[in-house]
Amino acid sequence: MNTRNRDVQSIVHGLNTGLYINDEWIEAEKGRTFAVENPATGKTLTSVADGSEADAERAIAVAGNTQASWAKTSPRERSEILRRAYDIIIQRTEDLAALMTAEMGKPLAEARGEVAYGAEFLRWFSEEAVRIPGDYTNSGDGKNRILVTRVPVGPCVLITPWNFPLAMATRKIGPAIASGCTMVFKPAPQTPLTSLALVQILREAGLPKGVLNVVTSSDAPKVVGAWMRSGIARKVSFTGSTDVGKLLLAQAAQHVMRSSMELGGNAPFVVCEDADIDRAVNGAMMAKLRNMGEACTAANRFLVHHSVAADFSAKLATRMGELTVGDGSLPGTDVGPLIDTAALEKVQLLVDDALSRNAEIIVGGRRRDGAGYFYEPTVLANVHPDSLLMNTEIFGPVAPVIPFEDESEAISLANDTEWGLVGYIFTQDIDRALRLSDEIEVGMAGINTGIVSNPGAPFGGVKQSGLGREGGRIGIEEFLEYKYLAIPR
Ligand code: NAD
């Protein structure tokens, strides 16, 4: 069915907005709900169940009780559930994209891109489910056979942020299903609707009762705290801010839970003097403006050789100045709203701080008055390295340009941060590209490209950007334990 023209309100009204526990959609304790807002208009889209600690306890008990039977299902069965869910998502691209734009703000074209990207994790892990490896070797002294199998880690706590409401969920749910783990899942309170639509799809695809349990809530510490204290959950997989990730790691220590952390970033975008400047500008548009700059992979610091800084900044400003800012559901919109007022105020504060240290605005530099949380695409030139935005995730469409003198200064500026998720390197010299990718402390590096995300690649960071990887060959390993059998010869 082509749903291109369906009204988003009718899509919202078709959703189950309760808690999803043991294959039932139920009300939260005391019937509590919280509102979900459209950031382009500031208006309420709908309300969803506001789960409590008691609701969370029920959900984790179900995940615990279902683990043993779910672990015994065949890899093929799990694979085919994922593959069917992939097909349904693709069929419903237009509805899912409209829903995502309404609750999160990204322009429809980007929302469609996320539907394709998010669905791909289910297809990828449907293929991985039937390829879980094992080992069989002899011990060095020849006296033992060593048999190594993989088993599911057990019930998992999954927590996602608001900026990629589908893909951040499928990147966790896909490998959890593939490996045979049960789950409790809490989506971000700003964007629960896409996740609830995904749950419905997984159910239609045949996911058995009790495998996935979802608690939406406006009180994350209560719900997640109950899961972390339960002693039932064996793993936590979190995507979100570094500060919350640290809290969860401390909580995970109590029961020595396996932990995967996809945390914040502060990506350097390095443009060398020999770079193809037009290519670098194209890359910068992707790395800065995808998702309105609200991405952990967003280029946060444009480190540009002083000899090309003016040219790069001027070309980037021309491109950014041509963009149409507005409601992402309208045709022709390039840049949607930020998620909320707090995000808008943070971006303005960072820009004002840079200006107070003699940065110059080449384009943009202002929020929009009126309904919605809009900020103009902005290029700041001559940003001082002491500026606050050098060590704060901007999470908005602001590109600060910091000139550097030579390669060693570029490397030391790039590494002058506690984060290390991704870096971008623009140069036409292959030796320099490899040297810089060796020296810059990141989990991922884009060479002459502004985008690195790919379901077939291991996504993740070093330093305070996280622990573990999602996607790629090792994505499923995060949800598996090794079990070694010693068999004397
Ligand atoms: P956030 O940390 O505020 O929230 C993320 C999730 O954690 C939400 O579901 C939230 O309700 C929950 N949460 C908040 N406080 C909690 C607590 N005390 N205990 C348990 N759960 C809690 O992050 P956000 O604002 O939703 O997302 C933006 C952040 O996510 C940015 O820092 C961004 O870089 C990061 N991010 C990282 C990746 C990655 O793959 N590395 C991807 C996307 C976003």
Side-chain angles (χ1 to χ4, degrees):
M1 179 176 53
N2 182 351
T3 53
R4 188 173 289 263
N5 298 319
R6 261 181 78 183
D7 172 36
V8 74
Q9 276 306 335
S10 71
I11 301 170
V12 170
H13 285 136
L15 282 176
N16 284 301
T17 52
L19 308 178
Y20 180 67
I21 300 176
N22 210 19
D23 197 32
E24 281 183 54
W25 293 97
I26 57 172
E27 282 195 351
E29 191 186 16
K30 297 190 181 144
R32 288 203 182 99
T33 61
F34 67 93
V36 181
E37 183 183 270
N38 180 337
T41 61
K43 291 194 179 135
T44 297
L45 282 165
T46 188
S47 294
V48 303
D50 196 356
S52 68
E53 199 171 333
D55 294 319
E57 283 166 358
R58 241 177 322 150
I60 189 69
V62 170
N65 291 336
T66 313
Q67 179 58 52
S69 60
W70 175 235
K72 290 194 181 82
T73 53
S74 72
R76 181 59 72 198
E77 195 178 332
R78 300 198 298 268
S79 164
E80 288 184 353
I81 293 166
L82 288 169
R83 178 59 212 221
R84 280 193 294 273
Y86 165 82
D87 288 335
I88 302 172
I89 292 178
I90 297 300
Q91 271 166 22
R92 295 195 193 150
T93 294
E94 291 302 323
D95 275 15
L96 287 165
L99 199 56
M100 203 187 297
T101 294
E103 68 175 344
M104 190 272 159
K106 69 182 74 185
L108 264 180
E110 287 195 45
R112 289 187 191 110
E114 185 181 337
V115 172
Y117 173 58
E120 197 58 50
F121 285 103
L122 301 189
R123 180 158 69 167
W124 174 268
F125 286 107
S126 79
E127 291 154 353
E128 292 296 280
V130 290
R131 314 237 187 289
I132 295 171
D135 290 306
Y136 178 74
T137 54
N138 293 316
S139 63
D141 61 10
K143 292 183 181 157
N144 275 291
R145 299 174 177 90
I146 297 172
L147 182 65
V148 184
T149 63
R150 309 283 206 288
V151 294
V153 65
C156 297
V157 173
L158 312 182
I159 308 157
T160 54
W162 49 265
N163 59 348
F164 291 96
L166 184 73
M168 297 303 99
T170 55
R171 220 160 70 167
K172 300 184 188 306
I173 292 171
I177 291 177
S179 59
C181 295
T182 60
M183 296 155 267
V184 286
F185 168 36
K186 195 201 77 60
Q190 298 90 336
T191 57
L193 305 181
T194 309
S195 304
L196 294 172
L198 170 65
V199 172
Q200 183 61 42
I201 288 171
L202 286 162
R203 195 173 185 236
E204 289 174 43
L207 193 68
K209 183 173 169 169
V211 172
L212 173 63
N213 303 279
V214 184
V215 178
T216 46
S217 180
S218 63
D219 193 343
K222 276 252 163 61
V223 165
V224 177
W227 293 341
M228 300 297 284
R229 275 194 307 278
S230 68
I232 299 170
R234 292 303 334 140
K235 177 182 172 80
V236 56
S237 177
F238 171 76
T239 300
S241 60
T242 297
D243 285 347
V244 174
K246 289 178 185 175
L247 285 175
L248 292 176
L249 282 171
Q251 293 172 20
Q254 198 190 352
H255 290 290
V256 193
M257 289 164 65
R258 281 274 293 278
S259 304
S260 297
M261 295 282 145
E262 295 288 349
L263 309 177
N266 183 9
F269 187 105
V270 180
V271 183
C272 300
E273 64 271 35
D274 61 17
D276 174 336
I277 296 300
D278 291 334
R279 201 169 173 194
V281 170
N282 285 338
M285 294 295 286
M286 294 297 298
K288 185 72 252 183
L289 289 170
R290 178 169 173 246
N291 229 36
M292 291 79 74
E294 293 172 316
C296 53
T297 51
N300 211 56
R301 298 166 294 151
F302 288 84
L303 309 176
V304 186
H305 190 267
H306 67 91
S307 65
V308 293
D311 188 22
F312 174 83
S313 306
K315 285 182 167 155
L316 183 60
T318 302
R319 292 279 298 279
M320 283 177 63
E322 287 165 359
L323 299 174
T324 304
V325 180
D327 184 330
S329 68
L330 301 176
T333 296
D334 301 305
V335 182
L338 299 186
I339 192 69
D340 54 23
T341 310
L344 206 51
E345 282 169 0
K346 174 183 162 192
V347 170
Q348 190 62 58
L349 184 140
L350 292 172
V351 169
D352 290 345
D353 171 77
L355 295 178
S356 76
R357 298 172 205 262
N358 297 328
E360 300 151 37
I361 295 177
I362 313 193
V363 72
R366 275 177 313 161
R367 53 195 281 183
R368 289 260 178 100
D369 294 333
Y373 312 117
F374 297 97
Y375 201 88
E376 291 178 352
T378 298
V379 177
L380 299 175
N382 291 320
V383 171
H384 194 278
D386 289 343
S387 306
L388 285 179
L389 46 65
M390 292 293 282
N391 252 312
T392 313
E393 272 190 299
I394 301 171
F395 251 55
V398 175
V401 178
I402 304 100
F404 68 82
E405 289 297 319
D406 57 26
E407 206 175 295
S408 70
E409 190 188 7
I411 293 165
S412 80
L413 282 169
N415 290 339
D416 187 17
T417 169
E418 287 305 318
W419 284 297
L421 188 61
V422 59
Y424 304 93
I425 297 160
F426 283 77
T427 170
Q428 299 199 69
D429 176 343
I430 180 75
D431 292 330
R432 174 178 266 174
L434 294 177
R435 201 162 56 235
L436 285 169
S437 62
D438 281 348
E439 295 291 333
I440 297 180
E441 298 158 353
V442 286
M444 304 176 285
I447 312 284
N448 292 321
T449 177
I451 194 152
V452 294
S453 304
N454 187 316
F459 189 103
V462 299
K463 294 160 87 176
Q464 293 194 25
S465 286
L467 294 174
R469 294 293 181 270
E470 288 188 329
R473 295 278 296 280
I474 71 171
I476 195 166
E477 295 277 344
E478 301 272 333
F479 291 82
L480 293 167
E481 285 287 7
Y482 290 87
K483 184 173 268 186
Y484 146 57
L485 311 184
I487 310 166
R489 295 190 76 87

